[in-house]
Amino acid sequence: MDRMRADRLLSLLLLLQNRGRMTAPEIAAELEVSVRTVYRDIDALSGSGVPVYADRGPAGGYRLLDGYRTRLTGLTGDEADSLFLAGMPGPAAELGLGADLTTAQLKLRAALPPELDERSRRIQERFHLDAPGWFRDAEPVPYLAAAAEAVWRRRVLRVHYQRWRGEVHRDLHALGLVLKGGIWYLVARVEDTIRSYRVARILAAEVLGETFECPAGFDLAAYWQESARAMEAARFQGEAELLLTERGLRLLPMKFGAVGAVAAAGAGPPDDRGRVRVVVPVESLPVAVDDMLRLGTDAEVLGPPELRTAVARAVTELAERYGPPD
């Protein structure tokens, strides 16, 4: 019996042990196999002496003899690794660890005493993590598995990468992977510099046989935290002074996120028309113009002058494009 089928049979056994009676379609859905495969695996378990019984009828299914429990719950290396992604089944599947995660969870629960097993079941039923943000399709990441292999095995990753200013070819010392807001980033060293690469922009990748040593003292979490702070600081190039309606003030956190919430909290007192002054960090001029237009008629740009002029020009062009109302 090959290792893959042996792992599947153990997963089937642990499913029945942890959940009780299950139908063949339910088992097939959990193990991501066909119903016919489930029938064959049930026969194999029975033939090896495992007391599996079939209950007939509408409420039927397969179950183990009451009181039967297996102690074959040792974790493989891949299964143990996958437990660190136990709260993120989507990312685990993207990394190729979906099946390992399912088996690891089953083994872990089989090894728990009944009271802790029930507690873990309640937690799993009542808490769920959905990492990606709203209203955005997940990015295709065809080379995520290659990046993960390079990270895990400390191998050089040769990539063809799409930058903003064109395409490049690089040999990367892959140090780690970060999932931020549903987007995968590869942290890698190039010569003496550590940089972050968006995995979705890798156009081609090859894991080379060449290995490398991780820089002494490198901490992935600490690097990412510092890198994120530096990126946030470099992102904003100035400030915009706005006059907002009451509705515009409510929209500010929704349109601008954390910086919008901070700006709204620091808003001045309302004028005689109920409008308030706020100061919002802005990026480059073209990006700032787009941001201001997102607030529509609920905002007036007071400064700086170049931003006010650019917004006025954009509004004029839109008015000319659509013409006067009938």
Side-chain angles (χ1 to χ4, degrees):
M1 181 186 303
D2 60 34
R3 178 181 178 276
M4 183 178 298
R5 192 184 184 207
D7 288 344
R8 193 177 68 241
L9 289 176
L10 179 57
S11 296
L12 170 54
L13 175 56
L14 293 173
L15 268 177
L16 295 176
Q17 178 173 304
N18 291 333
R19 300 191 187 180
R21 183 185 292 108
M22 295 183 70
T23 66
E26 288 172 340
I27 296 171
E30 284 288 340
L31 300 182
E32 299 181 352
V33 296
S34 67
V35 173
R36 181 174 297 180
T37 297
V38 171
Y39 292 148
R40 288 199 298 265
D41 288 349
I42 290 289
D43 289 341
L45 284 179
S46 297
S48 63
V50 176
V52 183
Y53 291 89
D55 294 329
R56 308 296 180 184
Y62 294 102
R63 64 180 179 86
L64 295 175
L65 179 68
D66 292 343
Y68 177 85
R69 293 185 67 85
T70 179
R71 293 299 174 191
L72 297 175
T73 54
L75 297 177
T76 67
D78 287 344
E79 290 162 1
D81 297 336
S82 73
L83 282 175
F84 288 99
L85 293 167
M88 299 183 290
E94 289 180 325
L95 288 169
L97 293 172
D100 290 317
L101 177 59
T102 299
T103 304
Q105 289 174 326
L106 289 170
K107 288 182 178 180
L108 185 61
R109 289 182 58 180
L112 292 174
E115 63 276 11
L116 292 183
D117 179 40
E118 179 58 28
R119 183 183 179 91
S120 71
R121 187 192 303 274
R122 288 200 306 269
I123 291 174
Q124 193 170 36
E125 288 174 349
R126 300 175 193 187
F127 295 92
H128 175 69
L129 173 64
D130 186 7
W134 284 102
F135 313 121
R136 183 179 62 206
D137 293 334
E139 290 187 320
V141 281
Y143 298 104
L144 179 61
E149 180 185 355
V151 167
W152 186 247
R153 299 173 64 189
R154 288 281 186 255
R155 294 290 181 88
V156 174
L157 184 68
R158 178 165 292 169
V159 300
H160 180 195
Y161 188 75
Q162 175 68 59
R163 298 189 305 177
W164 290 110
R165 297 186 298 273
E167 300 175 9
V168 295
H169 292 82
R170 292 272 167 81
D171 284 355
L172 306 178
H173 290 189
L175 300 175
L177 283 164
V178 175
L179 180 63
K180 170 71 171 178
I183 298 174
W184 285 101
Y185 294 90
L186 173 66
V187 177
R189 185 177 64 180
V190 181
E191 297 177 349
D192 294 327
T193 305
I194 297 178
R195 300 175 182 172
S196 301
Y197 296 84
R198 194 159 170 166
V199 177
R201 294 184 187 152
I202 296 178
L203 305 177
E206 178 187 1
V207 180
L208 305 182
E210 179 184 352
T211 60
F212 64 90
E213 292 294 328
C214 183
F218 174 75
D219 184 300
L220 178 63
Y223 162 81
W224 183 258
Q225 187 175 25
E226 182 59 32
S227 176
R229 277 199 297 263
M231 187 181 304
E232 194 73 15
R235 171 186 170 192
F236 299 112
Q237 302 178 13
E239 293 180 331
E241 185 180 3
L242 309 178
L243 197 59
L244 296 177
T245 65
E246 182 181 351
R247 180 175 180 272
L249 189 63
R250 293 198 307 269
L251 287 174
L252 206 59
M254 290 185 274
K255 299 292 187 182
F256 291 83
V259 296
V262 172
D271 62 14
D272 55 358
R273 296 173 56 186
R275 300 180 303 173
V276 297
R277 290 174 180 258
V278 299
V279 176
V280 183
V282 292
E283 300 182 44
S284 63
L285 187 61
V287 174
V289 171
D290 289 342
D291 287 341
M292 298 305 106
L293 292 177
R294 288 163 62 195
L295 293 170
T297 58
D298 290 297
E300 178 185 349
V301 178
L302 301 179
E306 61 271 20
L307 178 57
R308 182 179 173 92
T309 300
V311 171
R313 184 183 304 116
V315 171
T316 300
E317 291 178 1
L318 287 171
E320 292 174 349
R321 181 174 304 165
Y322 290 101
D326 294 335

